[in-house]
Each structure stands twice: as structure tokens, then as C-alpha cells.
Amino acid sequence: MKRTTPYLLILFLVLCSSTGFGQRAISGHVTDKETGESLPGATVYLPDLKSGTITDKDGVYKLRNLPNSNIVFQVSFIGYKAEVVKIDLGEIHTRDFQLSPSAIEAKEVVVTGNALTSDNDRSSFSLTPINKDKLLTMPSTNLINSISTVPGVSEITTGGEISKPVIRGLGYNRIVTLNEGVRQEGNQWGDEHGIEIDQFSADRIEVLKGPASLFYGSDAMGGVINILEQTPARPGSVDGEWVSQASTNDRLISNSLMVEGNQNGWIWRARGTYKTAASYRTPAEWVYNSGFNEKNYSLTAGVVKRWGYSHLHFSSFNTKIGMIDGLRDSATGQFIDYQGNIVSSAKAKSRIIDVPFQLVTHNKISSVTNLLLNDNQVKISLGYQWNNRKEFGESPDEPGLFFHLDTWTYDVRFTRLLFESLELVGGVSGMTQFNRNHGSSYLIPDFDLQDWGGFVYMKKSWEKFTFNLGLRYDYRHIKSYSLYLDSLGNAAPSGDTLFKALNRNFQAFTGSTGMTFRLNKTVNFKFNVGRGFRAPNISELSANGLHEGTFRYEIGNPDLNPETSLQIDGEISWDTKYLVLSFNGFYNIIDNFIYYRNLNGEKKEVNGIWYPVYRYVQGNSLLKGFEIELDVHPLDALHFDNNLDYVWGGNITTSTPLPFIPALHLTDQVKWTFKTRKTSALKQPYIQLELESHFAQDRIDEFETVTPGYVLLNFNIGTKIKVQNQSWTLYISGKNVTDVKYYDHLSRLQDVGIYNMGRRITFGLVIPFGIYHKQEN
């Protein structure tokens, strides 16, 4: 009965709220501010309702069946600066919008990565939105790989498929990933444990850089990757989308089909995705056993009405990934398989997935409900997900490691608007986890975890100035179970102790305060001070075993203390019609920072092979750095985009560099967009060249090796194609087109002498299609 209570509460609130509102409507005209001309096809979007419309041929929009609430409107059009306003629908029934032309490519401005929906310029947190068009046309092998070009974001990689996000030098359990309103949980502590999310299901992503513990509790000390729910189909329509990609090098083939509908506010969506890749090639060799297969499907059903919306999601992520162990024949230097045989050239570059490999299944059921109650909002997010991770290290038939993880999450937030300029938010959230081992080998013990917390937050707005302040309390309890092994290495009631029982509690107060100030129409300032908190994860506390695919033996430390951080973050931006320049600097002091090290070359023998032993240690540390973005658009056709980011990490206690810190990184892009006639089927064809410069990383821990610098040349050619009433997207992208031989500092395969991927060309096609659309009166 306890598990059904939250869902009954949602049903009760929805039924009550659906009868307590009068119907509201709003209409208006969207025009060019300089010429007064109408803008047909402009988008009017209401993020708190997950609904919107587009203007007709005269630039007129109409929205009906709206709540008696004060909610955010975003109005946007290609080639114009978007406008974000909050409108009281109880008093205003007509509202015209005048958009200013902007040569700078449109950037998303509405953010939801903090407690309130707001203009990004009004949020003191450092947050970067990424829209769907960029995600679809960015050649990548997975979701995290597709956002790794964001300044301040990098990735820890294991081959071509597994990527883990790193934000300003912090990764693993210091980054919370939210997917469709619910935090993603799938053993993020593992080096070769990727994010189990279909990359084509993402509609828009917000990357929150810096401590977000205030809103999301422990594990959000380094930032948040918020994958937002997809906007529902237009009212009265049934639409779809086909996405297809094919790449050279690893011969990746990706196909994804989505169909959705919206009938009188009742919405539904179904998506299926299939991806398959062979082994990839470096400039030196084919990397044996680096292929993968991925099958995903998802379903959404819900309702969008004047009282808000309620969505129910189900998703299933299924993948088989070859794990690269890097073992070679001592005489020839060629790869050998798990039976010790030299791998032929044909097998090395095939689609065969051999031992060792992973089989991962991640299923999730979640619901998100947002109720608009006049000047109040109640948002309820509930989720249950179960993750089966099988790692086959010695046999293709029986998994060595087999983790089964069950996770329940909840998040309830209440928002109230006072005096049209003061917003108050209060919330509670929690998580329950159970992990059980079902394999023949062990790395972490069985454990239970209970986590809960609550926060209060306020934001006061003036014409040019905003101020925010928040406080949170978190509590986490983790209990692990002892395990004994007999002489054959099997679990037994007594014998050699592999895991000792553990019972620990962690708690902390965190907070955040910040401000924004718009000096004039072009200059904007942000400043934020935040305190973060992270409890040690089960691997850091209790690991004791060989981790397949990581080339090491891991040993935890049950006496670790929680990490706490204090980060100062500041940003100044200058935004004009032809130029955008921003500088964001941060200074992050972390007490009891936890990481692993190989001390004095310690090794341990397992099945006749010697592996380095990595033990978890901690010490007071400092991370500091900056991101600079310069976007110049001197001509309608010409566009320059330049990004520079840098992170410095050091252990203050030992006066040594922190490991796994990304190198100084500079990206320079030049893009030319061709003009076409109105009658042409090609719309906005473009060509883009990119120079990606990674500097040498020589500030390393004693067990790391210096990574030389390198420069990659990339390109992108694409266009929109008008086919009847639809706009198709076609593109060709090239990565490392000069086939440079290089190691990325955060590539885990550098330890076994395997270079990153060589030249790779990707061909992509996105086909939207309309099945049915009922014309509105």
C-alpha cells in the first residue's frame, strides 16, 4: 500500500484541480521590432504547461484553455532574439510581441535546471542549454558524447560507446543526470558504466555547472545534466519522426522512429531505436572487441489541460558492449582473445562481440505532474527503475559480475508567487535503493540505501537585479552486508572475509546564494556562492575485487568521510546584435575529496595475471578554472564561434595534482550559410569547419602519464530540405579528418596503449512527418 500512496495522491490532486479553474485564452501578434512586419511561423511556448503554438500566415497566435495563473511565455523565431516574459493570464488576454533581429544564432533562454522556470539571464547559476537540432546533427556514439563539446564539459571514455560526463573536473557520483524529471540511477560509480539513456529521445538538455546540492541533494556537487521531457505534439495532430545515421570507421548504423499524437490535450508517444557498431579503427590499428549493439524503446501517455499536465513514462534501454582488455601477444604485439589466441585482422574489425563484454538492461517507470493553482505550482515526480548489469569476463555463458539495482525516487516541490516579484519554493525528495549480487564474482557487497532531504528557496526580482537564497538538509543511510568465501571462492556462511558489514549515516546542511545584474541591454553579470555535499558511494566504501574492463583491482575504505565543497562562481556577458562574449570563472574548495590512487606500484595477482591495486584516499582539494565563449557574426552568412575552457585541480593536503583533470581545450568554428531563393527546396545550406585544440596535460598524479597535446580538424555540411509541408534535415560530418594519432587524457584506454578513434565520417537524415492534423477554428 505504501508504494501506491504517491500515485493515489497525484490522482486526487489532478481530479480536484481539474474542476477549480475558469477557462482562459490569450492571443496576439508577433512582429519584427524594426520593420513592424509580421513573423509567420514564430513559436509561442509555455514551458510550465509543456504546450504552445506557432503563429499563422499573418503572425497571429491564439492559445485557449489556459489556467488563471501567472506563467512564463517564450517567443522565438529564427534570426531573432527570443523574448521571455511572465504573464498573468487572470488579467491579460491579449499580448503582442516585438522581436529584435539578431545575427547571432538563436540560443535557448528558458531554463528549468533550478527550482524555477526563468530567463537564463535571471538565473545566477551557470547553465548551458542545448537544443534538439544540435543534438540530432552532432555526430556521436552516445548521449554524453554529443554534449562533450559544451565549454566546461568533458567525458571519461572507454572505447567508442561508453562515456561518463565530467563537469569542471568532477565526474562519477558528483554529477546527477535527470531524465524526464527523474534522476537516472545505474551504478554511476563504475568507470565503464555509461548512462543508460537513448540519445534520440532527448528533446533538450540543460547542463548546470557547479554545485546543485540545494535542489538535488547528495551527488549533485559537481553539476546536473537535465534531459527535459519532449514537447507534446500539436493539438489535434498525429506526427512522427525518423532519424537515421551511418558512420565510417566503426560502421555505426543508428535508426530511430517516433510517433506521437495530441487529441484534446490527451497525449501519447512511442519511440524505438536500434544501433549497431563494429570495432573501430585508430590511425594505428583496429581495436578488437570494441563493437556494441543497442536496442531501446519508450512509451509516454499523459494529459495537458488548463490545470497543468501529468505525464507517465516507460523506457527500456538494452545494450551489449564489448569490453576492451588490451591484451596482446608478446611477440607480435597483436591483440589476443580471452582464450589466448591471436586475433586475425578480419575478426579484429568485425561486429563480433567477444568475451569480455557487458549486457546491461535498464527499465524505468516515471510520472511527472505539474499543477497550476493560480499563483501556486505543485510539481510531483515519481520513479521506479531497475538495472541489471552483467559483465562476462571468462565465459560467454556465465556472468562474473552481476548487479541487480532497484531504485525508487520521489520529488515534490511547491512554488508560490508573491507580489509578482518574489518567488518562494519548498521541496522534499528522496531515494531508496537495493543492490544484490547474482554473479560468480564480486566487487561490491549487497547494500541498502535510504536518502531524503528538503529545501527552501526564494528569489526576488527587480527591473535589472535578482537575488536568490536557499538552504537544504540531507540525510543518507547506507547498510552493506558481509560476505564470506569458501576455499573454491563461493559464497558461504563462514570462511575468508571478502566484505565486512557496514552501517553508516551521513548528513549535511547545504546552501546557495546568488545574484544577477543587467547593467544595460548588452551587459549582464552573474554571481553565485554554493555549498555542495556528497556521501561516499558503495564502491569507495567497500569495493574489494577485480573490475573487468578497468585493468585494476579496487579496494575501498570504510572510514571515508563525506565530501563538502564551497564554490564561488561568476560570469560576465556582453550580448550585441553581431557579437556575444562571456567569461565564467569558478573557485571550488572541496574538503575530504575522494579519489583512487595506485600507491608505490602495488599489485595483486588474479588468475595468474598481475593487476595494479587502486585504493580510495581523500584529502582537501581545490579546483579552479574558467570558460570563455566568443560568438561573432559579422555578416549574415558568416559565423565564428570560439570556446576556451580550463580546469586546475590539486590536492592541498599532499601538494600533488588531482588525477583525471581535463587539459586546456580550445575550439574554433567558422560557418558559412548560403542564401537560396524562396522557391528553392534547399533551406539554409551551410558548411562548417572546426579546429579542436587540446593542450598537453602534464599536471598529473604519480600513477598517470603525461598526455601530449593534439589538434583535430572536423567539418559539418548540412541543409534543410523542403519536402511538401515538411522540413527534412540532411548533414555530413567529419571528425578527425586528418586521421591524427592521439590520446585523450580522459580516455581509459591510454593505460593499455590504445589510441582514440581515427577519421570518422557520419551521414545523417532527419525526416519529420505528419500523419493527421485537425485544423483549429
Side-chain angles (χ1 to χ4, degrees):
M1 181 65 184
K2 290 183 179 180
R3 294 182 186 176
T4 61
T5 301
Y7 295 94
L8 293 176
L9 175 62
I10 288 179
L11 180 62
F12 172 76
L13 290 171
V14 170
L15 292 175
C16 290
S17 62
S18 63
T19 60
F21 298 89
Q23 182 172 334
R24 295 291 185 270
I26 189 171
S27 62
H29 195 200
V30 181
T31 59
D32 184 308
K33 188 174 184 179
E34 295 182 358
T35 66
E37 294 181 357
S38 299
L39 296 179
T43 300
V44 182
Y45 179 59
L46 285 63
D48 292 325
L49 270 176
K50 293 291 182 185
S51 66
T53 188
I54 59 175
T55 57
D56 62 17
K57 60 183 178 61
D58 298 315
V60 174
Y61 75 92
K62 295 179 182 179
L63 288 167
R64 302 181 179 87
N65 201 27
L66 299 177
N68 182 19
S69 300
N70 201 317
I71 61 176
V72 172
F73 278 60
Q74 174 178 285
V75 183
S76 58
F77 190 67
I78 296 175
Y80 290 79
K81 186 174 182 179
E83 185 172 349
V84 179
V85 296
K86 185 165 282 189
I87 297 177
D88 187 348
L89 296 174
E91 298 182 1
I92 298 175
H93 307 296
T94 61
R95 177 66 153 82
D96 294 335
F97 294 93
Q98 295 178 320
L99 303 185
S100 299
S102 175
I104 301 297
E105 291 186 352
K107 297 181 182 295
E108 297 283 352
V109 291
V110 168
V111 301
T112 60
N114 52 36
L116 299 166
T117 302
S118 68
D119 187 333
N120 198 356
D121 287 344
R122 291 280 186 168
S123 172
S124 65
F125 299 92
S126 178
L127 195 147
T128 302
I130 308 166
N131 60 35
K132 184 175 182 178
D133 284 344
K134 185 173 182 179
L135 290 170
L136 287 178
T137 58
M138 182 65 64
S140 58
T141 56
N142 58 70
L143 184 66
I144 301 304
N145 183 233
S146 68
I147 67 172
S148 61
T149 57
V150 172
V153 179
S154 48
E155 56 178 337
I156 295 174
T157 61
T158 306
E161 166 63 356
I162 300 173
S163 298
K164 299 183 67 65
V166 176
I167 299 177
R168 293 175 169 176
L170 297 177
Y172 300 94
N173 284 90
R174 300 178 185 90
I175 306 296
V176 165
T177 300
L178 296 173
N179 186 28
E180 298 177 329
V182 174
R183 64 183 288 165
Q184 185 82 5
E185 288 293 323
N187 296 296
Q188 283 93 335
W189 47 265
D191 275 293
E192 83 295 6
H193 298 173
I195 303 296
E196 299 92 358
I197 298 173
D198 180 1
Q199 72 179 97
F200 298 114
S201 68
D203 186 62
R204 182 169 172 268
I205 298 178
E206 295 173 349
V207 180
L208 198 160
K209 294 177 281 190
S213 298
L214 173 64
F215 304 129
Y216 302 105
S218 177
D219 301 351
M221 191 173 73
V224 173
I225 296 174
N226 189 8
I227 304 166
L228 301 179
E229 292 182 281
Q230 189 165 334
T231 303
R234 297 169 298 167
S237 70
V238 178
D239 299 318
E241 175 187 81
W242 174 268
V243 182
S244 185
Q245 292 182 351
S247 300
T248 62
N249 195 307
D250 60 353
R251 290 151 289 161
L252 172 66
I253 299 173
S254 304
N255 289 290
S256 183
L257 175 65
M258 184 271 291
V259 181
E260 63 178 350
N262 184 340
Q263 303 300 319
N264 297 319
W266 294 91
I267 68 166
W268 58 271
R269 182 182 305 110
R271 178 181 289 275
T273 297
Y274 178 72
K275 297 166 62 177
T276 177
S279 294
Y280 70 86
R281 182 190 61 81
T282 75
E285 61 188 345
W286 292 95
V287 181
Y288 164 63
N289 206 35
S290 58
F292 64 89
N293 296 317
E294 185 181 308
K295 299 176 184 178
N296 310 313
Y297 58 91
S298 59
L299 300 170
T300 297
V303 59
V304 179
K305 295 292 184 179
R306 59 181 178 270
W307 47 262
Y309 66 86
S310 183
H311 297 166
L312 181 66
H313 303 278
F314 171 76
S315 63
S316 181
F317 179 98
N318 308 271
T319 187
K320 181 178 181 180
I321 306 174
M323 299 169 66
I324 307 162
D325 57 21
L327 296 179
R328 299 176 185 267
D329 177 65
S330 58
T332 64
Q334 294 177 274
F335 288 109
I336 57 175
D337 62 20
Y338 74 103
Q339 296 175 325
N341 303 314
I342 294 177
V343 176
S344 67
S345 175
K347 186 177 181 180
K349 62 182 181 181
S350 71
R351 295 183 182 270
I352 295 174
I353 299 176
D354 211 343
V355 176
F357 64 89
Q358 297 179 0
L359 278 180
V360 181
T361 299
H362 189 95
N363 299 307
K364 181 169 65 177
I365 300 174
S366 63
S367 68
V368 179
T369 299
N370 195 37
L371 305 175
L372 303 179
L373 311 166
N374 294 324
D375 289 333
N376 306 319
Q377 285 192 37
V378 179
K379 189 169 187 178
I380 307 169
S381 302
L382 304 170
Y384 168 60
Q385 50 198 306
W386 59 105
N387 183 290
N388 286 316
R389 177 176 296 276
K390 302 177 183 179
E391 299 187 1
F392 297 77
E394 298 181 1
S395 166
D397 303 315
E398 182 181 0
L401 296 177
F402 182 176
F403 308 128
H404 176 84
L405 180 68
D406 288 304
T407 304
W408 289 263
T409 57
Y410 63 87
D411 187 287
V412 181
R413 299 184 181 189
F414 177 79
T415 303
R416 180 168 179 79
L417 176 65
L418 298 175
F419 317 119
E420 296 186 357
S421 62
L422 179 63
E423 295 170 287
L424 302 177
V425 185
V428 294
S429 60
M431 177 172 66
T432 299
Q433 280 190 336
F434 304 108
N435 182 82
R436 296 296 181 262
N437 287 296
H438 297 295
S440 58
S441 301
Y442 305 93
L443 175 62
I444 60 171
D446 294 348
F447 72 89
D448 303 335
L449 182 147
Q450 293 287 342
D451 182 289
W452 60 268
F455 76 93
V456 291
Y457 174 78
M458 61 82 64
K459 180 179 177 181
K460 172 67 176 176
S461 300
W462 291 270
E463 182 179 356
K464 293 185 176 182
F465 181 79
T466 64
F467 173 77
N468 62 76
L469 178 67
L471 182 68
R472 181 184 180 99
Y473 173 76
D474 277 289
Y475 172 84
R476 173 169 288 187
H477 173 74
I478 187 167
K479 177 182 179 182
S480 69
Y481 298 90
S482 58
L483 179 64
Y484 305 97
L485 300 180
D486 60 21
S487 59
L488 298 178
N490 299 317
S494 62
D496 294 333
T497 303
L498 184 65
F499 301 119
K500 293 182 179 180
L502 179 74
N503 201 325
R504 294 200 59 183
N505 299 316
F506 305 96
Q507 55 189 329
F509 282 97
T510 55
S512 176
T513 184
M515 52 80 68
T516 69
F517 176 65
R518 178 163 287 281
L519 180 64
N520 50 47
K521 292 182 178 180
T522 60
V523 180
N524 193 66
F525 296 92
K526 291 185 178 185
F527 180 80
N528 197 80
V529 179
R531 180 173 175 81
F533 156 74
R534 186 182 77 89
N537 63 50
I538 188 64
S539 178
E540 294 165 339
L541 291 168
S542 302
N544 187 13
L546 175 66
H547 200 175
E548 290 289 350
T550 64
F551 327 116
R552 65 172 180 260
Y553 193 97
E554 299 177 9
I555 298 179
N557 181 353
D559 299 320
L560 292 174
N561 294 313
E563 298 176 340
T564 56
S565 71
L566 181 67
Q567 176 165 314
I568 301 171
D569 192 292
E571 178 182 316
I572 180 172
S573 61
W574 184 35
D575 187 346
T576 68
K577 183 176 181 179
Y578 298 103
L579 183 147
V580 173
L581 173 63
S582 66
F583 174 86
N584 195 316
F586 63 94
Y587 192 90
N588 193 4
I589 302 170
I590 304 178
D591 293 333
N592 298 316
F593 183 76
I594 302 169
Y595 61 102
Y596 53 70
R597 299 183 70 191
N598 175 248
L599 301 174
N600 302 317
E602 182 184 6
K603 293 185 177 182
K604 185 178 181 67
E605 184 182 11
V606 180
N607 298 326
I609 301 175
W610 288 91
Y611 292 90
V613 174
Y614 282 74
R615 296 179 181 269
Y616 287 94
V617 299
Q618 60 184 167
N620 297 336
S621 301
L622 171 66
L623 292 122
K624 57 184 178 180
F626 59 84
E627 295 113 32
I628 300 175
E629 299 183 58
L630 175 62
D631 194 352
V632 184
H633 208 327
L635 303 173
D636 288 343
L638 186 60
H639 175 83
F640 294 100
D641 194 1
N642 309 274
N643 302 310
L644 177 68
D645 59 72
Y646 173 71
V647 179
W648 183 98
N651 186 324
I652 302 173
T653 304
T654 61
S655 299
T656 58
L658 290 177
F660 309 114
I661 299 297
L664 176 66
H665 174 220
L666 172 66
T667 301
D668 302 291
Q669 292 179 351
V670 59
K671 180 178 179 181
W672 184 274
T673 303
F674 298 90
K675 289 185 177 180
T676 58
R677 297 179 180 179
K678 291 184 178 180
T679 57
S680 174
L682 301 182
K683 303 297 181 182
Q684 299 177 316
Y686 67 89
I687 181 170
Q688 176 180 292
L689 295 178
E690 178 183 79
L691 206 60
E692 191 178 332
S693 304
H694 297 255
F695 292 76
Q697 179 57 289
D698 53 9
R699 291 199 73 260
I700 56 174
D701 201 345
E702 63 181 29
F703 70 87
E704 294 184 290
T705 57
V706 172
T707 303
Y710 57 93
V711 178
L712 304 180
L713 177 63
N714 311 318
F715 76 86
N716 197 313
I717 301 172
T719 185
K720 299 284 187 179
I721 305 175
K722 186 176 181 180
V723 180
Q724 295 182 344
N725 294 324
Q726 303 295 336
S727 180
W728 295 14
T729 300
L730 175 67
Y731 67 90
I732 304 172
S733 297
K735 179 80 170 181
N736 188 15
V737 296
T738 56
D739 212 25
V740 172
K741 186 186 298 185
Y742 73 97
Y743 294 115
D744 184 273
H745 187 67
L746 298 187
S747 170
R748 295 181 48 259
L749 299 183
Q750 181 179 187
D751 292 341
V752 291
I754 296 177
Y755 292 104
N756 283 76
M757 191 179 295
R759 182 187 300 110
R760 183 169 183 260
I761 310 298
T762 299
F763 303 84
L765 179 63
V766 182
I767 303 177
F769 54 88
I771 301 174
Y772 171 78
H773 180 62
K774 180 181 179 181
Q775 296 294 329
E776 296 182 358
N777 296 324

